[in-house]
Amino acid sequence: MVRPSKMLQTIFLVILCLWVNINGLGNGVVQQYYVNSSVCKMPYVDPFARKLMRKFQRDKLKLCHKDKGIVRSVFDYEMQQYRLQINENVARPMLETRKNATLECVYQKVLRNNTAKEPDDTYITLQSRPIVHQQLVPRDTDFMVTKCYAKDIKNSTELLQEDAMTFIQQMWPSTEKVRSQPSVLILGLDSVSRINLRRAMPSVYKFVSRPGWFEMQGYTKIGDNTFPNLMAVLTGHSEKGTEKVCDTSKPGCLDTLPFIWKRFKSANYTTAFAEDCESINTFNYLKGGFVKQPTDYYLRPLLVAIENNFNVTKRYGLSYCVGRQLSSSYVWNFGKQFIDRFLGRSPMFGFLWSNSFTHDEYTGATALDKLFLKYLKSVEETHLFERSIVILMSDHGQRYNLLRRAASGYFEERMPMMFIYIPPWFRLKYPALVENLNKNRNRLTSNYDVYMTLQHLLQLDSKSMDDFPDDLRAKQCPTCQSLFFEVPLNRTCQMAAIEEKWCCCQPTETIRRSPHVMTIALAIVERMNNHLQEQQLTGLCHNFSLKKVHKVDRKTILSTGLKPADKDEHVYIIEFSTFPKKPRFEATVRWNNRTNKLLDMDVEDLSRLNSYKKDANCINEKKAKIYCICKDSIKQERKLTSARRSLYTLADWFRCLYYRFKF
Ligand SMILES: *[C@@H]1O[C@H](CO)[C@@H](O)[C@H](O)[C@H]1NC(C)=O
Ligand SMILES: *[C@@H]1O[C@H](CO)[C@@H](O)[C@H](O)[C@H]1NC(C)=O
Ligand SMILES: *[C@@H]1O[C@H](CO)[C@@H](O)[C@H](O)[C@H]1NC(C)=O
Ligand SMILES: *[C@@H]1O[C@H](CO)[C@@H](O)[C@H](O)[C@H]1NC(C)=O
Ligand SMILES: *[C@@H]1O[C@H](CO)[C@@H](O)[C@H](O)[C@H]1NC(C)=O
Ligand SMILES: *[C@@H]1O[C@H](CO)[C@@H](O)[C@H](O)[C@H]1NC(C)=O
Ligand SMILES: *[C@@H]1O[C@H](CO)[C@@H](O)[C@H](O)[C@H]1NC(C)=O
Ligand SMILES: *[C@@H]1O[C@H](CO)[C@@H](O)[C@H](O)[C@H]1NC(C)=O
Ligand SMILES: *[C@@H]1O[C@H](CO)[C@@H](O)[C@H](O)[C@H]1NC(C)=O
């Protein structure tokens, strides 16, 4: 039985809903823009849209250990070297429970095998040596693994703790130019959009909203995943562009590219690069890695060693605890040591990247918020922000699941965070450059502009982009420019080398009633099937058949903007799923509704909105993983009989018919 009060409440709600619908509450709100020009209207996205927030979840931080470390390292400023200390107090209770045991700690130096064919995937651990309390760490030691044992009278040992340590201590002679050359530290969190930073990491967002920080609100990614986006920032190349130079999956190829840290090095900067989760490292996952160690300080050898030898706990889909530490804390601690050693002594360039919390699940970002704020505050105490340019950035937003499927999902994926901090002395010395940066916050910008900005920091006396010779320009976007020069207001995506698929300049309208929708979706699926044949993948990957169209958006054609050559041509963003295994895709396609033709759709550019992890194990090619539904992945599931398959085809046909006549 329904209680009368409940019924009244329901009636009231229904009336309210009707009223809201009729009066269009919310429609009266003026659309705001991140970029507002005649050729680019990038719509503002409300991070706290109620529909999404209802499902948005927060997660608590989980630490990896509760006990204290038996061995720790401290920097001895007098000796300019690290010392190892053994904390007997920590060990004592452990020994007391093991009768008559004595403590024995050893270390092993870890290094890169520079003579191996793929040095990035190797490490060498040297012979164990006993640790003596207060002993100095040899200057040539970058990394070590420590182990502490309880040893009983029969000499049998039990491992109590193992840990890994980094030491940035080898000194480069300090240079005179420290004061005039700005140090640059780039901090990266994978898959964090500007929109989600506000939602998931409010403390960090508050930190980067302080004076001196500039948020590039019109910053748009140029490629799908991490590799192309970081390539553009660090080398000025696109993924497709490098294919013409060499094969990035072969060792040695990446070494030949103009990584920006090379130019910083030749300007006498000290350089560092660190990234967590070694199996998915940007330059190693399905790539050849670096043959020559890319930067003066390079964390990878240690991470390869410990992720393969320590106990690893997975969380958010990736290595979370490696031994007793969070995998990301190896990166942040390494960065902190780098700052501690070189700030004020040598100009420095550091690139620190963390995947572990944020790569796979947005809830990881919520758990990281307070911890990352603590880190920012700890580097603030080193006076980093008094001297250096600091960039907090990401490669792209969330590419699947809740955030991606929300109404704002298109923008979520395409708007990585990009916050640039300029220290006070720089603002005083270069007010015009900083004013330009300030204006550019609301201009259309891309990864290649960040590459040029880093180039600019190495030649601050430049008057304009004319002062940059071709070999310093971003190869894939010669028209891209330093963010310290004013970016033209009427810049198009093309001018910033942002492909149509990633372009956020035209607001979209959702199409509900259009006879074209099914026709377009079926044409896309047909195109996908043809692509499998062209790529000779039909042996491995299953054919597609349309399951459902979830959403269709059409990009509006700006009245003053660039118009397509044919007035019947429109850009559609179609979200759909297919059989078998119901993968969810998003295609951005040009469609001519007079000729009913799909124009130049590249299947390799499809977005995949759910994880392909369980579908694509039969294939190693990164691009193909997005769309290949491996036949061997469906063997366990009920195989589609040919009758069922024809039923689907028939269903497609009816659905198409239905849409044609209904509207
Ligand atoms: C966008 O720019 C146009 C032209 O300058 C202006 O009329 C309009 O008010 C601007 N819109 C917003 C939301 O700022
Ligand atoms: C070792 O332990 C035994 C019994 O627990 C005790 O009798 C003995 O004195 C201990 N020896 C030493 C050297 O502590
Ligand atoms: C380093 O790699 C080379 C080539 O694979 C190998 O011959 C050598 O034994 C390795 N060195 C160590 C110490 O493992
Ligand atoms: C334990 O090791 C020490 C030093 O290596 C040795 O002197 C001692 O004889 C060993 N004791 C036993 C019981 O093996
Ligand atoms: C780098 O340092 C060397 C040695 O101190 C010096 O000769 C050279 O001019 C410096 N280069 C630059 C670009 O400052
Ligand atoms: C690693 O995990 C195994 C199995 O859970 C456990 O027995 C071992 O003690 C762990 N090692 C360390 C060093 O914690
Ligand atoms: C953009 O503006 C500049 C000058 O303000 C003009 O020369 C150029 O033609 C404009 N470009 C477009 C695409 O409107
Ligand atoms: C897969 O799709 C292609 C292209 O539409 C078609 O020629 C082929 O017969 C299909 N294969 C199967 C097994 O359905
Ligand atoms: C194509 O779409 C445009 C815009 O929706 C519409 O005005 C036009 O009539 C359509 N043409 C055909 C042939 O359906």
Side-chain angles (χ1 to χ4, degrees), residues 1-14:
M1 217 190 79
V2 184
R3 276 183 301 151
S5 69
K6 191 99 183 173
M7 213 156 94
L8 270 177
Q9 212 178 355
T10 314
I11 291 173
F12 174 74
L13 277 178
V14 168

Side-chain angles (χ1 to χ4, degrees), residues 383-394:
H383 305 291
L384 176 76
F385 294 102
E386 284 161 32
R387 302 263 1 122
S388 318
I389 289 181
V390 181
I391 298 178
L392 175 68
M393 64 172 285
S394 192

Side-chain angles (χ1 to χ4, degrees), residues 219 222 227-243 245 254 256-263 283 446-455 470-481 496-497:
Y219 182 76
I222 56 95
F227 184 73
N229 286 304
L230 288 193
M231 282 294 276
V233 168
L234 294 171
T235 73
H237 275 268
S238 69
E239 190 167 24
K240 278 190 186 129
T242 50
E243 277 163 19
V245 183
L254 290 171
T256 65
L257 298 176
F259 275 90
I260 194 71
W261 50 57
K262 290 186 183 171
R263 195 172 171 216
F283 303 109
S446 79
N447 310 43
Y448 301 109
D449 298 322
V450 176
Y451 179 70
M452 291 317 298
T453 308
L454 297 172
Q455 295 279 16
D470 284 350
D471 63 329
L472 296 182
R473 294 290 183 111
K475 266 283 164 310
Q476 298 309 311
C477 184
T479 53
C480 284
Q481 61 160 86

